[in-house]
Amino acid sequence: MADHLSQPFEKSAMTNEEKRQINKEIKRQIVVFALMIFLTLLSFLAVGADIIPRSFAIPFILILAVIQFALQLLFFMHLKDKDHGWATAFMISGIFVTVPSIAALMLLIGVVKY
């Protein structure tokens, strides 16, 4: 039974179209990963080298963080794919619970004084 383990596996259960789709998805994920590394470096350099004004530093980093969050959800959590309705619903409901909770805690602690 183990006689054929050293021979190459030539036939695959995937069609050529499926192989192309997988290769395309791998390339897309590598590009998105590189984009996220670039966004991270951009935020570090912008603040560390004083490229942007101090009054715009926090909004700038938050904008980059939201972009990275969206990219991670879409590409690495596979929310852009079909048949992920429940996962998307739970993520959105979690965001709707988390954001007001954090805002209320910030107001209670006194981080934001309004």
Side-chain angles (χ1 to χ4, degrees):
M1 177 158 42
D3 297 336
H4 302 292
L5 292 179
S6 62
Q7 295 177 356
F9 185 70
E10 297 176 10
K11 300 235 178 193
S12 175
M14 292 190 303
T15 65
N16 286 335
E17 180 63 30
E18 289 172 333
K19 289 178 185 178
R20 277 194 293 270
Q21 289 287 45
I22 288 176
N23 287 337
K24 185 178 174 182
E25 182 67 25
I26 290 171
K27 288 177 186 177
R28 187 178 296 141
Q29 286 190 353
I30 290 172
V31 168
V32 169
F33 179 73
L35 178 63
M36 286 193 287
I37 295 292
F38 172 74
L39 291 173
T40 302
L41 289 174
L42 183 65
S43 63
F44 275 114
L45 289 174
V47 174
D50 289 332
I51 295 173
I52 59 172
R54 289 184 181 219
S55 61
F56 188 62
I58 292 177
F60 180 71
I61 291 175
L62 288 176
I63 289 169
L64 292 179
V66 167
I67 292 170
Q68 279 187 330
F69 178 69
L71 287 173
Q72 286 180 9
L73 282 180
L74 290 174
F75 288 96
F76 295 118
M77 300 299 289
H78 301 286
L79 292 185
K80 66 175 176 39
D81 297 338
K82 295 178 182 177
D83 298 331
H84 286 91
W86 283 107
T88 304
F90 281 118
M91 290 291 232
I92 291 172
S93 63
I95 290 170
F96 278 120
V97 169
T98 304
V99 170
S101 299
I102 291 174
L105 287 172
M106 287 176 68
L107 286 171
L108 286 173
I109 293 173
V111 174
V112 179
K113 300 192 188 270
Y114 286 108

